[in-house]
């Protein structure tokens, strides 16, 4: 096993599954902390603020801080600011929960505009309504750019898989004929910004996660080695059918030696 100088680590399905703790994932993070190996939690979950993620991790036995949390909301804000370097105010329409809403509206560069937004930004919303979807579709047809925070089709819960943001975005895509620009895993923006944040080169870093379609493809598509842990979405039988394989596959993160 190669020694890596930093780890990008998924949360849902790797460290916890809904309200259930994945003990091997917690022990893995504690081993990183003991050895002072840099890490960044790279989650596609946009329902929580970084502060809320820190609190949730504490409930699962991990002490960390917001400097170790990176979400598609943070990456999307950076991406949109890069696209609008000379624009002081950016009108957006938001579908999502507290993490997305607070993340954008607490930043003075962005303001909510349901009538004429420049961007429609869609994140996971368990209170999604037809009215929200209709407003988003209308804006996109009128020229707004469609941004999807992440493409996860399903989310691992305690004993089931729930519809994910990718499923929500697909509905809007079908209704408008417009594909979203995705920011979160496996898309490149979140990986590029995460590497800048930890100041590491691609060959120094490994991506850890449970979902082949998001976590592992994020690594593969962006030149990172990958560790698939079989504690969440993807199972071994499914993964073995894929043409491209993870760099490493482990039953759980107890099997990974630092």
């Amino acid at each position: 096993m190669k020694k890596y100088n930093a780890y990008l680590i998924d949360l849902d399905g790797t460290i916890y599954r809904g309200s259930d703790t994945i003990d091997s994932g917690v022990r893995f993070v504690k081993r990183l902390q003991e050895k002072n190996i840099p890490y960044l939690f790279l989650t596609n979950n946009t329902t929580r603020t970084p502060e809320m993620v820190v609190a949730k991790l504490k409930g699962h036995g991990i002490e960390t801080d917001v400097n170790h949390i990176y979400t598609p909301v943070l990456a999307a804000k950076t991406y949109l600011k890069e696209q609008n370097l000379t624009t002081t105010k950016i009108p957006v329409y938001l579908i999502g929960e507290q993490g997305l809403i607070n993340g954008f509206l607490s930043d003075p560069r962005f303001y909510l505009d349901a009538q004429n937004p420049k961007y429609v930004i869609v994140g996971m919303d368990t209170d999604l309504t037809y009215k929200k979807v209709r407003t988003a579709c209308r804006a996109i047809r009128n020229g707004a750019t469609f941004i999807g925070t992440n493409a996860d089709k399903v989310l691992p819960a305690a004993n089931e898989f729930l519809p994910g943001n990718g499923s929500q975005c697909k509905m809007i895509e079908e209704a408008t004929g417009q594909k979203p620009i995705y920011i979160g895993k496996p898309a490149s923006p979140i990986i590029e910004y995460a590497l800048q944040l930890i100041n590491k080169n691609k060959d120094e870093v490994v991506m850890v996660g449970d979902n082949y379609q998001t976590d592992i493809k994020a690594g593969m598509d962006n030149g990172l080695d990958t560790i698939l842990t079989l504690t969440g979405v993807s199972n071994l039988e499914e993964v073995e059918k894929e043409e491209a394989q993870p760099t490493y596959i482990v039953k759980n993160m107890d099997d990974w030696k630092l």
Side-chain angles (χ1 to χ4, degrees), residues 114-217:
Q115 300 303 315
N116 190 33
K118 187 172 184 179
Y119 299 95
V120 170
I121 303 163
V122 179
M124 183 65 192
D125 189 345
T126 56
D127 290 319
L128 184 67
T129 65
Y130 189 87
K131 182 178 180 180
K132 293 178 184 179
V133 172
R134 183 178 64 184
T135 301
C137 290
R138 182 185 297 121
I140 292 167
R141 290 193 199 98
N142 287 338
T145 300
F146 182 13
I147 303 289
T149 58
N150 62 290
D152 297 55
K153 292 180 180 179
V154 296
L155 300 174
N159 59 355
E160 63 179 324
F161 292 105
L162 306 176
N165 188 54
S167 298
Q168 293 182 165
C169 288
K170 191 66 176 179
M171 175 169 55
I172 296 171
E173 177 185 333
E174 290 292 330
T176 62
Q178 296 295 316
K179 292 182 179 294
I181 298 169
Y182 283 116
I183 301 296
K185 299 172 294 184
S188 61
I190 196 169
I191 299 296
E192 293 174 3
Y193 299 144
L195 291 173
Q196 292 173 19
L197 195 62
I198 61 176
N199 195 28
K200 298 293 183 183
N201 297 321
K202 292 181 178 182
D203 60 357
E204 300 179 86
V205 181
V206 64
M207 179 72 223
V208 181
D210 69 294
N211 189 327
Y212 180 91
Q213 298 300 329
T214 56
D215 307 317
I216 302 308
K217 281 194 172 181

Side-chain angles (χ1 to χ4, degrees), residues 46-49 73 77 92-107 110 112 121 124-125 132:
T46 61
T47 65
R48 303 183 183 96
T49 65
V73 175
K77 288 166 59 177
V92 295
Y93 180 68
L94 306 172
I95 290 179
E97 297 187 16
Q98 188 172 353
L100 180 71
I101 304 300
N102 287 7
F104 273 93
L105 299 188
S106 64
D107 189 315
F110 301 95
L112 191 62
I121 303 163
M124 183 65 192
D125 189 345
K132 293 178 184 179

Side-chain angles (χ1 to χ4, degrees), residues 1-32:
M1 292 180 179
K2 179 179 174 179
K3 297 293 183 182
Y4 295 95
N5 294 330
Y7 287 74
L8 301 179
I9 308 169
D10 174 58
L11 288 175
D12 292 289
T14 302
I15 305 300
Y16 48 73
R17 184 174 176 138
S19 60
D20 294 339
T21 302
I22 299 175
D23 293 326
S24 58
V26 172
R27 288 190 289 267
F28 164 66
V29 174
K30 289 184 176 180
R31 287 191 284 133
L32 290 176

Side-chain angles (χ1 to χ4, degrees), residues 66-104:
V66 294
N67 295 320
H68 289 92
I69 311 297
Y70 201 62
T71 74
V73 175
L74 298 171
K77 288 166 59 177
T78 299
Y79 175 82
L80 294 183
K81 287 176 181 178
E82 287 182 348
Q83 301 300 309
N84 296 272
L85 293 176
T86 61
T87 304
T88 57
K89 294 288 186 179
I90 305 170
V92 295
Y93 180 68
L94 306 172
I95 290 179
E97 297 187 16
Q98 188 172 353
L100 180 71
I101 304 300
N102 287 7
F104 273 93

